[in-house]
Amino acid sequence: MKEERISFIVSDAHQADPWADEGSSVSGLGVKKEEMEDFTFDEPCLKKQKTCGALLGKPAVLPSSEAQALRNELNMNWDVIELLSTLTCVEHWVCVNIVQLLREENTVPFMVRYRKEMINHMDADAVRDVQLVYEEIRTMLLWYEDLSFQSSASVSVSLQYSPYKKGSKLTKARRAKALGLEGAAAALMDAPHALDLRAWVKHGLSSVEEVATGVEHILADMIAKDPETLTYVRTLCENSYVTIQSSVSKTALKENKPGGHQNKTKDIDKFHLYFDFTCNVQRIQSHQTLAINRGESLKILTVKVNIPDRVKSDFTRWCINNRWRPKTFAREELNQIIKNAVEDSYKRLILPLLTRSYRTKLTSAAEKESIAMFVRSLRQRLLVRPVRGCVIMGVDPGFRHGCKLAILSPTSQILHTDVVYLHNSGLQNEADKLRHLMIKYSCNRVAIGNGTACRETESFFADLITRGHFQPLDVSYCITNEAGASIYSVSPEAVKEMPDLDPNLRSAVSIGRRVQDPLAELVKIDPKHIGIGTYQHDVSAGALKAALDGVVQECVSFVGVDINICSETLMRHLAGLNAGRARSIAEWREQNGPFINREQLKLIKGMGPKSYQQCAGFIRINPQNIHSAKSSPRPAPAVPEKPAAKKGKGKASNSVPASPNPLDQTCIHPESYHVAQRFLTMIGGSVDQIGSESLRQCVESKVRASSVEELARSLDTSPETLKLIIDGLTQPPGFDIRQNFEQADFKRGIVSMSDLRVGAVLTGRVDNTTLFGAFVDIGVGRSGLIHKSKITPDKLPASQRRRSLALGPGERVEVRVLNVDTQRGRIGLDLIRVLQ
């Protein structure tokens, strides 16, 4: 039934839809695109998006011309904004503003930071959700338009002649219609007393039984496509105990026999929990759904949806006695045809349709939750507090090929690289070599990758520290996740950045830099390869990539980048920039020296007004870095001539000032500089006092005397913009939002898994979060699992109780050991509290 792919069911909330009379087949659509199917099940009420209680700022309204342009663009006769508001549970005026901002090509970070009043203080995740639904609506309408065009032209012609094509694969109903039995089916329902099946024995039909069978097939097809019938069977299923069941497949049993492939056996053992698994479809967990899907795709599991027999009997009785009851008296043999058609429709068409619908809905919900978990974990991994102001040694551990070392300066410059063999003979010589390097470069921090030989390398360093081998230095070490370091070390970006280094040494550099500045280093690696989340290979690749790219852009933008020292790779992820603009900025910087102010960005090739607007507020120009860059052997800064006119409106280079502006080191957007200057004048301050204690006291005094709202009115700006200006003026130079986040744990000794005892209370750091719990590094070489049933609201700070799992990578926790399975390397933990 290919027609099932394009049919829509109007939700209960839209049965009285005012658009229904306008003739649009999608006018009452009440489900999201991923739930577009001819049979859907009611969902619980969508959670209201968290927005401010009061409507701050004036709700913007799309001008009539823009609204009409949007309608014309999407070729619709109904309100997209109204549908968007219904699907996302976001206020109508907020949806209007978000759509307007998206159509003006504004990025999510820009909207969240500089257009708060227009989006009612929604966070980035909420805005992205609205953006995703809006794009789905647009895609669906374009798809529907194409489908309507095809249905009215080529498809109808194709269907007209398809019964006569050689080898054409037709459904049973279409074959019966091709034989001319559609009239007999209509007569059976409308006037059965006048129907004589013998009169239809013609044109290839040799008996009455063949006629009856053809009529049954046509009726079965009609029943399976009838909206009222599908609504009724949906109601029956909702009131019944429907389960999903998985069992080991015959193929897996054959491969698991003695003498089978060892790797295959290991893969099969991973799914032993689902060899005899049954769960209510309303209670199954997302990770269970994804695990079952993966096992089925590997042909290890067989999956089916069990719908009670009572549904079939009630459905058959209702169809025969109500919906599909003939209008007049029907003979016994004709009633039997209707009964057979109902049973055939349920078994052959409706039941598979229900099964597919359940599986699709469960998979869609599981993918969404998995992506949401991945997004939140990635954000927390990227926002780990950097370790600044010290020399760090990055260690990529190994046995046969030795441990690769990279000593990095406080600014991540490579000071020295080497290889030491810590797990062979001659350990004393290697220890002396390490001591020499540590003292020579004043290095007292070591970052060890958590890959092969990590445990042995950690033990070696811990022993040297315990014996005071590095005296007078106070050396400590940390274990960092090295996932993706090997992939990055052979990437074109790594070759360009470190052309003279061996790939193994590049890995050591990457490990050290992950501790010094996690964000700047991890953006160089595909998010799917940095060791977070679960089932990333089992969800939609496009949806996952879009979500992760959005989070990376959000983190890079909100942290901000110093345009004079950041890498080209980091700039690519900044709001408003792309690979081309980042390359142009890097080339301009190489040729002309450091940027003096944000205005010089307008001279960059490809930097138009919109791009500048989106990126300018997230770019920092630190005066200290300007001076250090000037002292390096580079050409003196000069303002280059602008290339030949850009779209006919090139701006003269002499209109761009070449003097520094202290406001360029803050989060204040250039479009608000005039407001910031007026505010400084009002409080008697100057831009040279930015970040000083005296200016902070002046600001606090003025805010106490007059509220922010009153000050905003007097400055002719919004309270949100004024609050941002106040933050920018009072934050100290070099302020980093990550300073309030967790930092890597450095230690001087270790414990082993054999030292653990049930009931022991330990502190650790969340290493990864999954749909079923959180893995915590407690310093024994193996992460322990806090099952999600142990993560209860009473153990969490109030700020984290609304989150789906509440814990994320990098958070410090206090845990109690529940069980230790040394043989399988598993540690069960109970959450005591989250350490602030």
Side-chain angles (χ1 to χ4, degrees):
M1 287 180 17
K2 294 186 178 180
E3 288 82 2
E4 72 187 70
R5 303 290 183 186
I6 60 172
S7 57
F8 303 103
I9 295 298
V10 178
S11 69
D12 295 339
H14 291 77
Q15 290 296 330
D17 197 332
W19 303 318
D21 295 331
E22 296 187 12
S24 173
S25 299
V26 296
S27 59
L29 181 62
V31 294
K32 296 184 180 180
K33 179 187 173 189
E34 53 267 30
E35 296 166 359
M36 287 193 311
E37 46 196 40
D38 44 354
F39 185 83
T40 56
F41 296 86
D42 287 341
E43 299 184 19
C45 252
L46 289 173
K47 187 176 180 181
K48 190 75 172 177
Q49 291 282 12
K50 183 181 178 183
T51 57
C52 194
L55 301 182
L56 301 178
K58 295 183 179 180
V61 179
L62 276 175
S64 57
S65 58
E66 289 210 18
Q68 186 60 41
L70 180 61
R71 290 170 178 267
N72 295 338
E73 178 183 339
L74 298 180
N75 190 25
M76 64 188 186
N77 56 0
W78 47 277
D79 192 352
V80 165
I81 305 299
E82 191 68 36
L83 177 61
L84 182 63
S85 177
T86 301
L87 295 179
T88 58
C89 291
V90 174
E91 292 92 334
H92 185 278
W93 70 269
V94 179
C95 289
V96 170
N97 291 346
I98 292 177
V99 169
Q100 178 183 358
L101 290 169
L102 291 175
R103 285 174 55 81
E104 293 172 355
E105 300 181 352
N106 291 285
T107 60
V108 172
F110 178 83
M111 293 160 59
V112 172
R113 174 167 287 183
Y114 299 111
R115 296 294 183 265
K116 291 180 181 179
E117 67 278 5
M118 293 186 68
I119 62 174
N120 210 13
H121 294 261
M122 292 172 66
D123 59 25
D125 287 336
V127 175
R128 269 194 296 270
D129 288 342
V130 176
Q131 180 186 21
L132 179 62
V133 175
Y134 174 62
E135 290 173 353
E136 288 175 351
I137 293 174
R138 290 169 57 93
T139 302
M140 181 195 67
L141 290 171
L142 295 174
W143 171 79
Y144 175 73
E145 180 183 353
D146 292 341
L147 184 65
S148 300
F149 173 76
Q150 294 174 6
S151 297
S152 62
S154 58
V155 172
S156 60
V157 175
S158 175
L159 293 181
Q160 182 178 356
Y161 290 99
S162 58
Y164 307 102
K165 291 181 179 179
K166 185 176 181 180
S168 177
K169 295 181 179 180
L170 302 178
T171 64
K172 293 182 177 181
R174 287 176 59 188
R175 285 199 294 266
K177 290 178 182 179
L179 294 172
L181 294 178
E182 194 167 7
L188 175 58
M189 300 307 302
D190 296 334
H193 62 281
L195 176 62
D196 183 5
L197 296 181
R198 290 172 296 182
W200 295 86
V201 180
K202 57 183 178 179
H203 300 301
L205 296 169
S206 58
S207 63
V208 174
E209 289 74 15
E210 290 185 2
V211 173
T213 301
V215 172
E216 289 175 7
H217 291 161
I218 294 175
L219 286 179
D221 184 67
M222 294 169 60
I223 293 170
K225 296 177 181 177
D226 179 56
E228 185 177 342
T229 302
L230 293 177
T231 301
Y232 182 79
V233 74
R234 175 189 67 181
T235 304
L236 291 177
C237 289
E238 288 173 350
N239 297 326
S240 303
Y241 187 78
V242 180
T243 62
I244 184 169
Q245 178 183 350
S246 67
S247 57
V248 61
S249 66
K250 294 180 179 179
T251 303
L253 289 174
K254 291 179 182 179
E255 295 176 349
N256 203 31
K257 289 181 179 179
H261 200 281
Q262 187 176 1
N263 291 336
K264 286 284 187 180
T265 302
K266 290 182 179 179
D267 288 340
I268 293 172
D269 290 340
K270 294 177 182 178
F271 295 92
H272 72 277
L273 292 176
Y274 302 98
F275 284 175
D276 186 16
F277 176 84
T278 302
C279 185
N280 188 337
V281 293
Q282 297 180 356
R283 296 182 178 273
I284 189 170
Q285 302 296 315
S286 296
H287 69 273
Q288 294 173 329
T289 298
L290 295 175
I292 288 173
N293 289 352
R294 181 185 291 182
E296 185 181 35
S297 66
L298 295 174
K299 299 183 179 180
I300 295 175
L301 300 177
T302 300
V303 186
K304 64 178 180 178
V305 176
N306 297 320
I307 298 177
D309 293 338
R310 184 179 64 83
V311 172
K312 177 183 177 181
S313 58
D314 290 352
F315 172 76
T316 303
R317 187 183 309 111
W318 177 81
C319 286
I320 294 174
N321 297 331
N322 294 276
R323 178 62 177 166
W324 298 96
R325 182 177 181 178
K327 293 182 179 179
T328 61
F329 174 77
R331 300 185 301 277
E332 181 63 28
E333 63 270 19
L334 298 182
N335 282 327
Q336 187 61 41
I337 291 176
I338 296 175
K339 181 180 179 181
N340 293 342
V342 171
E343 293 179 348
D344 177 54
S345 179
Y346 181 83
K347 179 180 179 181
R348 183 169 56 87
L349 302 175
I350 294 179
L351 190 58
L353 177 62
L354 296 177
T355 299
R356 290 194 299 272
S357 300
Y358 273 116
R359 295 292 304 277
T360 299
K361 180 181 178 182
L362 291 175
T363 299
S364 176
E367 286 187 354
K368 286 182 179 179
E369 187 169 348
S370 180
I371 291 175
M373 178 67 67
F374 205 119
V375 162
R376 189 161 58 80
S377 298
L378 176 62
R379 180 186 292 112
Q380 292 192 247
R381 178 65 60 84
L382 293 177
L383 294 179
V384 170
R385 180 155 50 108
V387 177
R388 300 191 185 279
C390 64
V391 178
I392 284 185
M393 175 186 287
V395 181
D396 183 7
F399 287 116
R400 184 177 178 183
H401 299 289
C403 296
K404 280 67 67 177
L405 310 178
I407 300 180
L408 307 174
S409 72
T411 57
S412 295
Q413 299 300 312
I414 302 173
L415 301 178
H416 181 79
T417 58
D418 213 327
V419 179
V420 293
Y421 297 86
L422 307 181
H423 314 299
N424 298 325
S425 58
L427 295 183
Q428 186 59 42
N429 293 334
E430 301 300 285
D432 292 341
K433 184 178 181 179
L434 283 174
R435 183 177 186 278
H436 171 72
L437 292 174
M438 302 284 276
I439 293 177
K440 178 180 178 181
Y441 294 102
S442 300
C443 177
N444 59 358
R445 294 286 186 272
V446 180
I448 303 173
N450 65 344
T452 305
C454 167
R455 185 66 176 167
E456 292 76 11
T457 305
E458 178 189 14
S459 177
F460 184 85
F461 272 94
D463 181 62
L464 294 181
I465 293 172
T466 302
R467 292 193 285 113
H469 186 73
F470 298 113
Q471 291 294 341
L473 294 178
D474 181 18
V475 176
S476 59
Y477 69 90
C478 71
I479 306 298
T480 188
N481 193 321
E482 67 173 34
S486 298
I487 296 175
Y488 164 71
S489 66
V490 294
S491 66
E493 291 182 356
V495 173
K496 180 180 178 181
E497 185 179 0
M498 298 172 278
D500 300 326
L501 278 187
D502 180 86
N504 293 316
L505 295 174
R506 292 177 193 148
S507 295
V509 173
S510 179
I511 289 171
R513 287 176 174 173
R514 289 185 185 202
V515 176
Q516 287 186 316
D517 193 343
L519 178 62
E521 190 63 23
L522 290 176
V523 295
K524 303 174 184 178
I525 303 167
D526 188 331
K528 292 187 294 185
H529 297 148
I530 63 176
I532 58 172
T534 54
Y535 299 104
Q536 57 263 38
H537 301 294
D538 299 292
V539 302
S540 169
L544 180 62
K545 185 179 186 306
L548 298 183
D549 289 347
V551 172
V552 173
Q553 184 188 66
E554 169 198 335
C555 292
V556 173
S557 300
F558 288 167
V559 170
V561 299
D562 190 322
I563 198 68
N564 287 320
I565 62 173
C566 71
S567 67
E568 179 183 329
T569 304
L570 188 63
M571 283 190 284
R572 293 176 192 168
H573 299 282
L574 195 70
L577 300 185
N578 54 25
R581 297 188 191 108
R583 189 183 312 112
S584 297
I585 291 174
E587 292 174 354
W588 195 98
R589 191 172 60 189
E590 283 296 320
Q591 296 171 6
N592 304 279
F595 286 87
I596 305 301
N597 53 52
R598 285 172 172 169
E599 286 289 312
Q600 288 183 321
L601 290 168
K602 296 179 179 179
L603 303 176
I604 300 299
K605 178 182 178 181
M607 185 71 73
K610 176 57 68 173
S611 300
Y612 176 79
Q613 179 197 41
Q614 298 300 304
C615 74
F618 304 115
I619 286 176
R620 306 284 183 271
I621 298 181
N622 191 326
Q624 295 179 352
N625 292 328
I626 294 178
H627 299 319
S628 61
K630 282 183 175 180
S631 62
S632 61
R634 284 182 175 178
V639 178
E641 293 187 5
K642 190 74 174 175
K646 190 179 187 178
K647 296 185 180 179
K649 295 183 180 180
K651 188 173 182 179
S653 60
N654 55 15
S655 65
V656 176
S659 57
N661 187 340
L663 291 173
D664 288 343
Q665 60 183 311
T666 70
C667 61
I668 303 172
H669 197 281
E671 67 184 10
S672 302
Y673 279 3
H674 65 287
V675 180
Q677 293 284 4
R678 288 163 55 196
F679 179 69
L680 284 170
T681 302
M682 178 185 294
I683 64 175
S686 66
V687 292
D688 296 329
Q689 297 177 290
I690 289 177
S692 66
E693 181 64 22
S694 58
L695 183 62
R696 187 180 65 83
Q697 292 177 357
C698 289
V699 171
E700 291 177 352
S701 175
K702 190 66 177 179
V703 172
R704 281 195 299 267
S706 303
S707 66
V708 173
E709 288 73 17
E710 292 178 1
L711 292 173
R713 282 194 294 270
S714 64
L715 293 170
D716 193 24
T717 188
S718 66
E720 290 75 19
T721 300
L722 181 57
K723 289 177 183 177
L724 192 63
I725 290 173
I726 291 174
D727 289 341
L729 295 176
T730 56
Q731 288 168 352
F735 174 79
D736 192 330
I737 64 170
R738 294 173 292 175
Q739 67 184 27
N740 296 323
F741 290 80
E742 298 295 339
Q743 192 178 47
D745 280 329
F746 286 89
K747 52 188 178 179
R748 295 173 178 81
I750 60 171
V751 294
S752 64
M753 192 170 175
S754 59
D755 297 329
L756 293 178
R757 295 293 180 268
V758 174
V761 176
L762 307 167
T763 60
R765 190 176 296 281
V766 177
D767 183 55
N768 191 15
T769 53
T770 68
L771 296 173
F772 52 84
F775 287 96
V776 179
D777 180 7
I778 54 176
V780 298
R782 177 77 65 171
S783 294
L785 173 66
I786 306 177
H787 192 268
K788 69 176 185 178
S789 61
K790 305 295 183 182
I791 307 174
T792 54
D794 59 294
K795 301 176 182 178
L796 302 170
S799 60
Q800 295 179 221
R801 292 177 183 173
R802 289 188 173 186
R803 288 166 25 179
S804 58
L805 189 57
L807 296 179
E811 292 187 288
R812 296 183 65 243
V813 293
E814 187 176 50
V815 296
R816 179 181 291 105
V817 178
L818 295 179
N819 54 74
V820 181
D821 187 344
T822 307
Q823 184 177 0
R824 302 175 68 187
R826 294 186 176 183
I827 306 169
L829 302 174
D830 181 22
L831 176 66
I832 297 177
R833 63 191 177 102
V834 178
L835 301 176
Q836 298 294 314

